[in-house]
Amino acid sequence: MQHNILILFAHPRLERSKNHHQLLQYIPKSKGITLHDLYEEYPDFNIDVKREKELLTQHDIIIWQHPFYWYSIPPLLKQWIDIVFEFGWAYGTGGTALRGKKVLHVITTGDPETVYAENQPHSFTIPQLLAPLQQTARECSMEFLPPFVIHNAHRLPFEELEKHCRDYYLLLVLLQQDNLPLTVIHQHKYINYWVQNKREA
């Protein structure tokens, strides 16, 4: 049985992002993969909570694809989480709708990985900076997978960007498969490394 994947895409200035524009081109045209552009759907931030819940119910794996804005997520995605993950539905008493679903980030950053570390300009690693989102997932009984990260996005040569895009395509194909090796995946800081190993195997 294949997993159904919901890609919640949130970029307030997509027209200025060659990286995310290119990543979107590499999403497989599969029946089990749904691309949902939040800024296109809700430019007024008036989110249809009932519809979003229905989408979540229909999918097994949730992807939050977005640029890494000030060490976090864009404002519409934050609002989406705030109002869709309701008490009694997503968490708390009777809140079991998301139990067992998997969630991960697909993000781009403007700086290289080396500066996301202790005693470096950004002080923390990407997984450390994502800890509040990880705890949100945990509170909703979801499994938080390592992120797919493209660093130094503004300076990437086209060939490097293409390589990341091909890995994103492969990631989505692999995530659709049953029996994901979660123990192996969690051994990696970024899920990129698991994908690279699969590509080179």
Side-chain angles (χ1 to χ4, degrees):
M1 186 183 76
Q2 280 198 329
H3 294 124
N4 291 323
I5 300 174
L6 174 62
I7 301 172
L8 292 165
F9 178 64
H11 199 311
R13 305 182 78 181
L14 178 59
E15 71 279 2
R16 299 186 63 175
S17 174
K18 67 173 183 179
N19 302 296
H20 280 279
H21 183 78
Q22 194 68 9
L23 280 170
L24 294 179
Q25 307 308 309
Y26 276 78
I27 294 173
K29 304 293 186 291
S30 168
K31 183 180 176 184
I33 298 178
T34 303
L35 173 62
H36 189 38
D37 185 337
L38 293 181
Y39 275 92
E40 182 175 86
E41 193 73 26
Y42 304 115
D44 56 0
F45 280 51
N46 187 19
I47 295 170
D48 184 339
V49 173
K50 181 181 177 185
R51 182 181 177 222
E52 298 305 310
K53 286 181 176 178
E54 289 173 353
L55 279 172
L56 286 169
T57 302
Q58 294 163 4
H59 295 81
D60 312 298
I61 298 176
I62 314 303
I63 291 178
W64 291 325
Q65 181 182 336
H66 58 89
F68 204 42
Y69 271 14
W70 283 108
Y71 311 111
S72 189
I73 56 181
L76 180 55
L77 182 55
K78 177 64 167 65
Q79 174 150 322
W80 183 93
I81 292 172
D82 288 347
I83 69 173
V84 176
F85 287 7
E86 287 182 329
F87 179 86
W89 185 80
Y91 72 101
T93 305
T96 59
L98 301 177
R99 179 171 293 170
K101 295 184 185 292
K102 297 164 185 63
V103 61
L104 71 150
H105 292 265
V106 171
I107 59 178
T108 53
T109 78
D111 285 326
E113 181 178 353
T114 52
V115 299
Y116 287 90
E118 188 176 4
N119 299 320
Q120 294 298 318
H122 295 308
S123 304
F124 301 96
T125 66
I126 294 291
Q128 288 171 333
L129 292 167
L130 291 176
L133 282 306
Q134 182 177 11
Q135 180 56 29
T136 299
R138 184 175 296 155
E139 188 71 10
C140 297
S141 302
M142 302 173 80
E143 181 152 9
F144 192 81
L145 300 180
F148 183 92
V149 185
I150 300 177
H151 281 290
N152 214 19
H154 303 316
R155 306 175 188 85
L156 273 184
F158 181 75
E159 294 75 16
E160 280 295 310
L161 175 59
E162 284 287 297
K163 183 179 172 186
H164 287 297
C165 289
R166 288 194 294 273
D167 280 351
Y168 186 36
Y169 175 91
L170 180 57
L171 169 67
L172 293 170
V173 170
L174 292 170
L175 287 177
Q176 276 201 290
Q177 298 175 358
D178 201 5
N179 298 321
L180 285 173
L182 296 176
T183 303
V184 175
I185 290 174
H186 280 295
Q187 291 172 358
H188 298 287
K189 175 183 177 184
Y190 296 162
I191 204 167
N192 307 50
Y193 302 140
W194 173 65
V195 174
Q196 289 167 15
N197 290 339
K198 299 291 286 186
R199 171 164 47 81
E200 295 166 1

